[in-house]
Amino acid sequence: MGREETDTGVSGAAPAAEMIFGDWYPALRAGVLKPGKMTTALLLGIPLVLGRKKDGAIFAMRDLCPHRGIPLSAGWFDGETVMCKYHGWRFEPCGGQCQEIPSLTQIDTLEPTKIYATSYPCVERDGYAWVYVPPAGSGRVDATQLPAVPELPKFGKRFRSAHLVADLPCNVDHGIIGLMDPAHGPFVHQAWWWRSQASIHPKEKKFEPIPEGFRMSAHAPSSNSAPYRLLGKPVTTIDFVLPNRRIETIRAVSAKGKESWFSSLTTVTPITAATCRIDVLAAWDIFYHVPFVTAIATYFGKRFVQQDQETMIEQAQGLRFNPGLMLIDDADKPAKWYFALKQARLTGSGAHPLAGPVTLHWRS
Ligand code: FES
Ligand SMILES: [Fe+2]
């Protein structure tokens, strides 16, 4: 017999966070989308069905038939149209327009093409299927009015790349402030090849405002990180931009004057109001000619992301009890800026938490 839940006032579920609609989010890796095959995903609590048409175009529809709500993914996709399993309505998936309602007779006047299933703008970039998730109740999306699709910065044509993914059992706010938190490194990411608690030292970092975000201004990266020592004279910038993007670039010039670069795009995407997913995409031309570097980088990157993931799984245990939380100066200041930027976006106030360049101090 199942154990009865006693009412302790604890819901057992992770606390929800408000989500930012009206922007682009990575739904999944586009490589899984094959002609004639449908794949489902959840994005901001919306069930999606994604696929690739025979002509190569990818699509994302709300995974609900507009007739009676059965998931469209339960039906059939022939590489051109999606057919609902229940009554066989057929939809063109890129725009959602209904093409056929099999039950109609010649005396019916209903025009199927006036009916639309909900479809979302969907673009393949950097190997992801990016989906524009419109504000609720905004009607049909005007494709000419959309913000730019995010892109990993690249500084040359030849590069190697790798990507990582981890589901986090916490809401998007905890995922994002965990991402920008400078003080957890020596504790969560302890390893000989990264940092150790013994190497903690004072840091001073310059930040500046950028539209809907902030930039950790160009500087030579942490001298206590072994991988960075290999690069010559590197200059790093780290941007955070709403709704969920961290973009890091490292550009270096060796003693012989040879340029090299590394860049990464990390996003924390709400899956539901209470859960999120972290995606890391990195590209580099450093060590381009050295075999196995992609495998090695992916191995260490995976360890790194797993350490964050394990920590957030543990944190989620505590967050179920909805404790009060603290943000302290200066190590938690980027988190405060994030909350202020998000509030400005949600209210449309246009306010920015940084009036100009700021220097923050912490030890890590
Ligand atoms: S529920 Fe989809 S066609 Fe009827
Ligand atoms: Fe981390």
Side-chain angles (χ1 to χ4, degrees), residues 65 67-70 84 86-89:
C65 179
H67 182 211
R68 297 256 280 281
I70 194 172
C84 179
Y86 208 166
H87 311 96
W89 293 18

Side-chain angles (χ1 to χ4, degrees), residues 9-226:
V10 176
S11 68
E18 200 165 348
M19 298 182 286
I20 296 179
F21 290 78
D23 220 319
W24 294 94
Y25 291 95
L28 39 70
R29 294 292 293 171
V32 303
L33 303 176
K34 305 271 193 280
K37 184 178 156 230
M38 291 187 279
T39 306
T40 59
L42 253 187
L43 210 53
L44 283 68
I46 301 168
L48 297 180
V49 55
L50 296 102
R52 184 186 298 279
K53 290 177 52 168
K54 278 184 192 148
D55 65 7
I58 62 170
F59 64 84
M61 302 170 85
R62 190 153 73 123
D63 192 16
L64 299 170
C65 179
H67 182 211
R68 297 256 280 281
I70 194 172
L72 289 168
S73 58
W76 303 274
F77 171 48
D78 62 3
E80 267 154 22
T81 57
V82 170
M83 184 185 277
C84 179
K85 175 174 181 165
Y86 208 166
H87 311 96
W89 293 18
R90 272 196 314 114
F91 301 93
E92 191 292 309
C94 287
Q97 190 177 42
C98 184
Q99 315 259 285
E100 186 190 355
I101 296 181
S103 63
L104 294 180
T105 66
Q106 274 158 345
I107 42 175
D108 284 307
T109 53
L110 179 68
E111 181 45 62
T113 56
K114 296 229 164 78
I115 296 172
Y116 286 83
T118 304
S119 80
Y120 302 102
C122 185
V123 170
E124 191 168 355
R125 182 153 302 170
D126 292 324
Y128 288 101
W130 290 88
V131 175
Y132 176 80
V133 184
S138 58
R140 288 189 60 74
V141 173
D142 178 355
T144 63
Q145 297 295 313
L146 301 180
V149 182
E151 183 160 7
L152 176 73
K154 301 163 204 88
F155 303 97
K157 285 208 160 54
R158 267 199 333 179
F159 55 85
R160 295 189 183 276
S161 65
H163 63 91
L164 295 163
V165 60
D167 287 302
L168 303 178
C170 56
N171 71 43
V172 68
D173 289 346
H174 282 292
I176 285 177
I177 67 175
L179 182 71
M180 60 178 58
D181 169 10
H184 76 286
F187 301 93
V188 171
H189 303 300
Q190 279 188 62
W192 63 266
W193 50 272
W194 189 245
R195 296 166 181 176
S196 66
Q197 286 179 38
S199 77
I200 293 184
H201 66 273
K203 298 268 173 64
E204 181 182 287
K205 296 278 154 78
K206 292 194 170 65
F207 289 82
E208 61 189 279
I210 55 176
E212 292 215 290
F214 49 88
R215 168 169 296 170
M216 191 193 277
S217 316
H219 64 285
S222 305
S223 55
N224 58 352
S225 296

